[in-house]
Amino acid sequence: MLKDIISVAAIETGLEEPVARHAVGIVFNAAQRQGSDLIERVFAQVPGARTLSASTATREGSPRSPIAQLIEQTLGGRRHVSFDMFLRLQRAGLGHAEIAALMTSISRVLGTRFSLGETALLAALFEGSTPEMPEEDQGRSSAVA
C-alpha cells in the first residue's frame, strides 16, 4: 500500500517517485511528531510507513528527543510542526500546487483504506484524536493492531 500512496502522489503532483517518497515521509513524520492516533494506525496497517517516517526524520534532521516530542504535541508545538512540514516540503522542491496535490492524494488513498473522507483523514493525521470509525473498519483495524 505504501507503494500505491507514493505512486499516486508522484502521478498527481508531477514529481519524480524519489521526491514523492520523500514528501510522503515528511507528511508521515509530521503527523507522528504531533502525536496523531491515526498515524499509529497507519503505521500498523501500512508496511514500511513507520520506516519511511523514521528515515525521513533522520535525513531531514527532525527533532527526535523525548522533550521535543512533548513540546511538539502541545497546541503551539503542533502549529510549529505543521509550519515546519510545509517548509520542509518546499525545500524538497514542492510548490503550492504540488503540496496541495500531495495532501489530497495521501488523504484520498488513506481515506479509502480507513473509510474516512479526505478532509476528515487529513485533519485526523494532524490532531491528537481519531474520528469515529465505521463499525466494519473498527474490526479490521483492531485485528491488525
Side-chain angles (χ1 to χ4, degrees):
M1 175 168 217
L2 182 59
K3 288 182 181 183
D4 293 337
I5 295 167
I6 293 166
S7 293
V8 170
I11 291 166
E12 293 186 3
T13 60
L15 299 170
E16 297 292 324
E17 266 199 42
V19 177
R21 178 181 181 78
H22 185 67
V24 169
I26 290 170
V27 173
F28 284 176
N29 183 253
Q32 182 179 20
R33 288 170 58 197
Q34 289 188 346
S36 166
D37 294 336
L38 184 59
I39 196 66
E40 289 303 321
R41 291 186 53 221
V42 170
F43 289 162
Q45 295 184 32
V46 180
R50 184 182 304 275
T51 302
L52 177 60
S53 176
S55 64
T56 302
T58 299
R59 183 175 172 189
E60 287 286 319
S62 297
R64 297 174 74 176
S65 74
I67 292 174
Q69 290 174 354
L70 287 174
I71 293 169
E72 289 174 339
Q73 293 173 17
T74 65
L75 182 59
R78 287 186 197 141
R79 186 176 305 127
H80 170 76
V81 171
S82 295
F83 288 133
D84 184 60
M85 176 190 72
F86 288 113
L87 177 65
R88 290 175 190 274
L89 289 170
Q90 289 173 337
R91 284 185 191 154
L94 283 75
H96 296 294
E98 290 88 3
I99 292 171
L102 172 72
M103 300 306 266
T104 301
S105 64
I106 291 172
S107 293
R108 190 173 59 264
V109 174
L110 288 177
T112 300
R113 172 65 182 95
F114 291 98
S115 302
L116 294 171
E118 290 177 20
T119 56
L121 179 100
L122 192 57
L125 281 175
F126 292 96
E127 66 180 28
S129 60
T130 304
E132 275 300 308
M133 304 302 286
E135 297 266 335
E136 65 275 3
D137 192 49
Q138 287 179 3
R140 179 174 41 187
S141 64
S142 63
V144 177

